[in-house]
Structure formats: C-alpha cells, structure tokens
Amino acid sequence: MRRPQPTLKDIAAELNLSHPTVSRALSGHPSISAETKARVREAADRLGYVVNSGARMLKRGHGNVVGLLLPDITNEFYAAVAKKLSDDCSERHQQLILSVSADDADRELAQVRALLESRPTAIVVALTRKPHPETIALLNTVHCVQFMQTHPVLSGPRVTVEASGGARLAIEHLLSLGHRQIGFVGPTLDYAIGQARMEGVTAAMEAAGLAVDPTCVRLGPADGEFAFDAVLDLLAMEPRPTALYFSSAPISVAGMRALMRENIAIPADMSVVVAGVSPWYEAWPGGLTSITLPVRDLADAASRYVAEVAKGDVAAGETMLSFELVRRGSTAVNP
Amino acid sequence: MRRPQPTLKDIAAELNLSHPTVSRALSGHPSISAETKARVREAADRLGYVVNSGARMLKRGHGNVVGLLLPDITNEFYAAVAKKLSDDCSERHQQLILSVSADDADRELAQVRALLESRPTAIVVALTRKPHPETIALLNTVHCVQFMQTHPVLSGPRVTVEASGGARLAIEHLLSLGHRQIGFVGPTLDYAIGQARMEGVTAAMEAAGLAVDPTCVRLGPADGEFAFDAVLDLLAMEPRPTALYFSSAPISVAGMRALMRENIAIPADMSVVVAGVSPWYEAWPGGLTSITLPVRDLADAASRYVAEVAKGDVAAGETMLSFELVRRGSTAVNP
DNA sequence: GTGAAAGCGCTAACAT
DNA sequence: ATGTTAGCGCTTTCAC
C-alpha cells in the first residue's frame, strides 16, 4: 500500500498501447475498438487505476468541484443543506468541499482562498455578518451562490428568506392567542438576521397597536448559551411574560432547558415558540410550536443554481422564501 | 468575473520576472530579495492570484486534501466529527472533501473512487455494513482511518467504540432498577454495530440470569422511522414492557414520538433509555437518560491519525473508547 | 538573486 | 483504430 497510484502510462505499458489510447478507451471514445476497450477496462480495474483529478483539471482549465462554506455544520439546518448538495454533486459526479467559517471573518477569508485553489465550478456560501472586502473580491471571481446572508457588492444568484417574516409570524401567533407580554430571546443585532428578526418583532407589535417592551428582549451570541440565564431572568420578572419566542435553534435548546429546570408547565404557565428544524419538536410532549425555515426548498434552490452553473449556463436570479409557523402544542390561549 | 484566474506567468509578465522567481517569492524561498518578495506579493494580491491546486498536486505527486466519507451528515454525531475534522484541516491548510454514502454500498464505492481522484493524504471512512470488496481494495491503496465500523481486510488505524458496551450499559441500568420485561428497538443485524448491540443486550440479560424475550425485540433500518410503529406495537403487548431501550438517535426520535402520541407518562408508565448526543436530551422535561458516544474523543482520535499521516508519519494503532450512560429523569424504579 | 528547462498525468489536435 | 506531440500551471533542478 501507499505506493504511487498507477497512471495511464502504466496501463499502456501493460497492454503495449499508447497512453492516449488508454485515455480514450476509458472515456468511451467512439473510435476505439470494443475489444481494446474491454482489455483496457480490465487492466485499469486490476491495477486499481483512478484518474488524477489534478492533471485533468490542469488540462480542462477548471476543477470539478463545488465549494460549500457554512458557519457551522453542526447546525441541523446547515447539515441538511450539505446533505442535499452532497447528494446532487455525487449525481453529477462532482466533489463537494466543505469549509466551516465558524462565523469568523478571518477564517472565512482563508477558506475562500483555499476553496479557489480547486477552481470550483461554483461556491455556495453563507456569509458571516461582516465579511472582509477581499473575501467579496475573491468570491466575485467565481460563480457564487449567496445563501441566507447576502452582500450588496457580491454578484450572482441568491437564496434567502424573508428575514423579518419568522419573527412576525411568531409574534402575530402569540398576539392572536391573547398574549400581550411576550419575551423575545434572539441573536445580537450585528447579525444581519438578528436585526431583521428584531424588526419583525417590532413590526408585529406595532401593527397590533402595541410597543415592544425592551425589558422583555434578551439578545446574545449565536451559540445560544446565554439564553439559559436570559430565560431565568425573564421568569423572575414581575409581572412575568406569558409567552416566549426563541428565535434560533441553539437559543431554543438553552431556553427550554431553563424552562424545564424551573418546572414551568407548557403551555399552561407559559406559551413558547421555538425556532429551527429539529425532529425533536414533534416528539416533545404535546409538540413544540415552531418557526421553521423551508430547509428543503432552500437547499433545492441553492442546488439548482449550482447545477445550472455546472451545465455551463449563467445562473442568475434571486429566490426568496418564507418562514413557516408549525402550530404544535406549546402555545395556548392566554388565560 | 469568470475570466480565467491569473497564473504565475501573469504576475511574472506584470513585473518583468520569470515565473519560477514569482513561485519562490510567494513560497518564501530564502534566496529571493525582500524587495522582490514584497513586489510579488503586492501584484499577486492585486490580481487576485490563487495557486492552482491541480498543478501543484501534479508536481508534488499527491493532493492536499482529506477525504471524509460518512453515512449521513445530518446525524448530529457525524456532524460533530465533520466539524472537528474541518477545523483541524483548515489549521493544517488542508481541504476537507465531504462524501455521503447514505449507507449504500454502491454509492460508497462511487464516492471512494471519486475521493481517490484527489489523491488525498488520508481518508476517514465510516464504512457501510457490507462494503464491496473493490471498495476495500481501493481504500487499501491510501492512508485510511476506519471510523466506527471496521473491516478485517482493511489496514490502517481504527477508531471504534466497544460496540456491545452501550447496550450492556443500558440494559444493566434498567435491570438494576428492577425492570424485567425490557423492549429493545435497534438497527438490523446486518449492521456490524447492530449485531454488537444485540450481543450486548443478550450478554447483560444472561449475566442477570434472564433470557432475551424475542417478542420484545424490534429491529429495522438506520433511518429509524420503523421505530414509531415498532413502539406502538410494543405498547400493545400483554403484558407490556416496563422499559424501553432505543439504540440509535433516529430510532430514539421516532420512538419518543410514538410514546408521546400515546400519552405514556415517563418514567411513571415507562422507563426509557435513548441514544445519541442531542442537546435536547437535557432540555426534555425531566431529562432523558441516554447512552452517548464520547463524540469529542472519537473525533479527536480520528483527527490525530489524520494529522500524523499529514506529517508524513505512518499512522497505526487502534483507539477503542467506551459508551457512557448519562442518567437523567426518564428511567425510574419498576413499581 | 534570478532565469532556463524539464516534467508531473492527462487530453485534444493532428498524423498515420 | 491507434500513435505522436504538445501543453495546461506549477515546482525543482541546474546554470549563470
């Protein structure tokens, strides 16, 4: 093992052919006799021949690779996107290179640079909140699909969600159930998406003729751990909110942990709207009412743009989808 | 945009240098004057130069890539592994190619073949239950880290878990609480890991002088959906089991859904041990007692082997870790 | 300190 | 139907 992989020349030598003939035989070129093709195929399999993608790329002028740059593969939402992209790539016989930015602009730049080394046919990127200008400049040199977050100076197709819509949906739902004092726990405003959600909350409240009570709003970093203390804090208020909206998946986990530790009955003592796509929302006793992204549709849209680029078309356009409210058992009428 | 990326020659022409000089300047070769290095660096940044990995690979004889082949990136366990590997790769300035086998041997073979095209420094692979012999033959031509599942004919380091241990842990725990009729829902036996779990169950029961009741055992495919019906089935038994052990994460979700739909009180009417690493286990009302893998340690071990290979060492050895039982509120004494 | 030349493995154009 | 040749972009001798 670990001896250098055989090359076309090795196969050619084995069969007393020239390496271009072997190349043509393996790629099914019409002007090669069926018998030669068979002999070549056999020898290739026997020697364990696998084409060298570097050499092929050099010749072709571009790689056969799709880049995917995400903030966090551990997030079930992004994992679902990676799965879809991986499936579609392997159908097109392409490779998927996965990079994780961890929501860090420096690392994002390094990853983009590294991705470009493979001359990808396309890059799908969920940008960080404040990308370096150089990151954008580099991305503008390739076919790039912007996912979730967009950047004004970056060209190419975009797949986004109507960002303030999820928050509005959640708040409207809770208002319609008669809740007036609603706690909101979400990501800090320097995330583009955090800002939009806050706007959604404000819009929904104002539409009902109500003002947002700033003491009911708790914001924190993306990992969501702050939500545990934030919820304990909200529970200690006098009077305490009758409903909560957790606006990201990690925040939802940490928030629910706090509610459970305090033995809050749901929805009797507290109505809760969570966010994200976990299969556990349906398994939860009574179910958890959730704001979910149309994961599948978003992933499909991104993948479709990638496929267009791979076919050689110029992909362009913007796909904007909407959040959905899935009503389950964690929200009830305010008594 | 989308014009061909600049090459070393382009930079060389721009500065009236030869392209080897530019190459040396960019890679910090000592015999290049500091001034030239600065000029080259500036021009490279200005033109947006990014090295062509294909050409580099051709010259070097091998790629700068790590392959990762998993059954399902959506599984939180595997996602955590991917995250760790991605982090470590980017520290070593390597790329991570993600492939998903979907537990399908044909697709696995195709993915391995595709991965080898990039001449990876190493491949981390969680094999399917019955890999094709050709898959193993191909993997034996590269440095390969076997993850979770192992294959007798495949050489190289292995990272596994003491496979029957999780099941034994779960059953022993339930037995110690006085349960005698224990339902077991797990993956079919043609998964190596399914078989080991069944053995663990049997061993634990026999150690207590009990026999496994085959009517309490339900096995099915990895996606776990069968567990919903399986649990409804178990609930209909006369007498009904007093405790359940779900031996994979997807099975746990589907199983819990069934229990919730039937309004089974946990742990009053039924003790439950789930499997996997979801953050939701701790948030669940009362908490869910779970059998968890030492995800972090497993990922670290795999990544360490990859790093050794990347450094040029011959990685070898076997790391075997143990399941852990995390006692939470879903298991109680049998009344 | 820098240039010239060769070659990695592959494919496409041209020759036989 | 098959062989010859050239060149993709890069690194690495070797020469100056």
Side-chain angles (χ1 to χ4, degrees), chain A residues 252-277:
Chain A
S252 299
V253 177
M256 291 307 294
R257 242 190 314 132
L259 290 175
M260 290 308 108
R261 208 197 61 173
E262 298 297 303
N263 284 314
I264 307 296
I266 293 171
D269 298 346
M270 182 73 76
S271 282
V272 180
V273 177
V274 298
V277 289

Side-chain angles (χ1 to χ4, degrees), chain B residues 7-8 20 23-24 49 55-56 59:
Chain B
T7 72
L8 289 182
S23 171
R24 284 181 282 231
Y49 173 78
R56 173 175 281 175
K59 194 72 218 179

Side-chain angles (χ1 to χ4, degrees), chain A residues 52 134 139 193 308 330:
Chain A
N52 183 319
E134 197 184 346
L139 285 173
I193 222 159
E308 283 177 26
S330 64

Side-chain angles (χ1 to χ4, degrees), chain A residues 7-8 23-24 49 55-56 59:
Chain A
T7 70
L8 289 182
S23 171
R24 284 179 286 227
Y49 173 79
R56 175 175 280 176
K59 192 78 230 194

Side-chain angles (χ1 to χ4, degrees), chain B residues 80-100:
Chain B
V81 175
K83 180 201 174 77
K84 170 67 176 165
L85 242 55
S86 171
D87 289 352
D88 292 359
C89 279
S90 73
E91 261 179 33
R92 284 194 306 272
H93 303 285
Q94 290 202 292
Q95 292 292 95
L96 184 72
I97 299 189
L98 173 70
S99 297
V100 176

Side-chain angles (χ1 to χ4, degrees), chain A residues 15 18 50 62 67 81 100 119 126 128 145 175 193 201 203 239 255 286 315 318:
Chain A
L15 302 174
S18 66
V50 177
H62 61 267
V81 174
V100 176
R119 303 292 189 264
T128 58
V145 179
L175 288 173
I193 222 159
V201 170
E318 174 150 5

Side-chain angles (χ1 to χ4, degrees), chain A:
Chain A
M1 101 168 212
R2 202 52 194 165
R3 64 183 184 302
Q5 304 268 1
T7 70
L8 289 182
K9 280 184 184 161
D10 295 324
I11 301 180
E14 185 93 359
L15 302 174
N16 286 315
L17 291 169
S18 66
H19 58 278
T21 301
V22 175
S23 171
R24 284 179 286 227
L26 288 174
S27 51
H29 196 284
S31 74
I32 298 287
S33 75
E35 192 222 328
T36 304
K37 275 181 183 163
R39 291 204 309 144
V40 167
R41 192 81 64 181
E42 183 277 330
D45 285 350
R46 180 161 42 80
L47 299 178
Y49 173 79
V50 177
V51 57
N52 183 319
S53 68
R56 175 175 280 176
M57 159 176 166
L58 206 50
K59 192 78 230 194
R60 291 225 222 278
H62 61 267
N64 187 36
V65 158
V66 173
L68 176 61
L69 180 48
L70 298 173
D72 177 19
I73 186 63
T74 283
N75 183 310
E76 306 192 46
F77 169 67
Y78 291 122
V81 174
K83 179 199 175 75
K84 170 67 176 162
L85 241 55
S86 171
D87 289 351
D88 292 359
C89 279
S90 72
E91 260 179 34
R92 285 193 305 271
H93 303 285
Q94 289 202 292
Q95 293 292 97
L96 183 71
I97 298 189
L98 172 69
S99 298
V100 176
S101 70
D103 254 320
D104 175 61
D106 292 340
R107 198 167 152 185
E108 178 178 60
L109 174 54
Q111 300 286 33
V112 166
R113 218 192 282 279
L115 278 175
L116 290 186
E117 292 185 5
S118 304
R119 303 292 189 264
T121 55
I123 292 186
V124 177
V125 54
L127 288 171
T128 58
R129 45 278 117 100
K130 295 216 178 308
H132 293 304
E134 197 184 346
T135 305
I136 305 301
L138 283 172
L139 285 173
N140 262 326
T141 68
V142 293
H143 292 298
C144 171
V145 179
Q146 297 178 64
F147 194 75
M148 302 303 288
Q149 304 270 4
T150 63
H151 191 279
V153 188
L154 185 50
S155 60
R158 302 165 170 209
V159 178
T160 58
V161 303
E162 203 264 278
S164 67
R168 200 164 48 220
L169 235 47
I171 301 297
E172 281 170 0
H173 173 61
L174 292 171
L175 288 173
S176 78
L177 292 172
H179 296 278
R180 287 297 172 267
Q181 199 182 354
I182 299 171
F184 170 67
V185 190
T188 40
L189 299 185
D190 53 26
Y191 294 79
I193 222 159
Q195 202 143 7
R197 275 172 197 164
M198 194 64 229
E199 282 164 16
V201 170
T202 312
M205 292 294 276
E206 284 177 356
L210 299 166
V212 175
D213 177 356
T215 63
C216 287
V217 174
R218 305 295 149 117
L219 307 179
D223 70 44
E225 262 318 304
F226 78 97
F228 185 83
D229 291 331
V231 167
L232 295 182
D233 233 48
L234 288 167
L235 290 175
M237 285 177 69
E238 286 286 353
R240 140 206 300 191
T242 61
L244 296 175
Y245 166 46
F246 300 140
S247 90
S248 86
I251 287 172
S252 299
V253 177
M256 291 307 294
R257 242 190 314 132
L259 290 175
M260 290 308 108
R261 208 197 61 173
E262 298 297 303
N263 284 314
I264 307 296
I266 293 171
D269 298 346
M270 182 73 76
S271 282
V272 180
V273 177
V274 298
V277 289
S278 173
W280 285 100
Y281 295 169
E282 210 175 326
W284 192 275
L288 292 177
T289 297
S290 65
I291 299 292
T292 72
L293 291 165
V295 198
R296 200 183 201 111
D297 296 337
L298 287 165
D300 285 356
S303 195
R304 213 172 324 113
Y305 285 128
V306 171
E308 283 177 26
V309 172
K311 271 197 325 196
D313 302 357
V314 268
E318 174 150 5
T319 301
M320 182 179 290
L321 298 168
S322 298
F323 282 92
E324 289 154 19
L325 174 85
V326 181
R327 172 106 200 244
R328 299 200 187 88
S330 64
T331 47
V333 172
N334 189 22

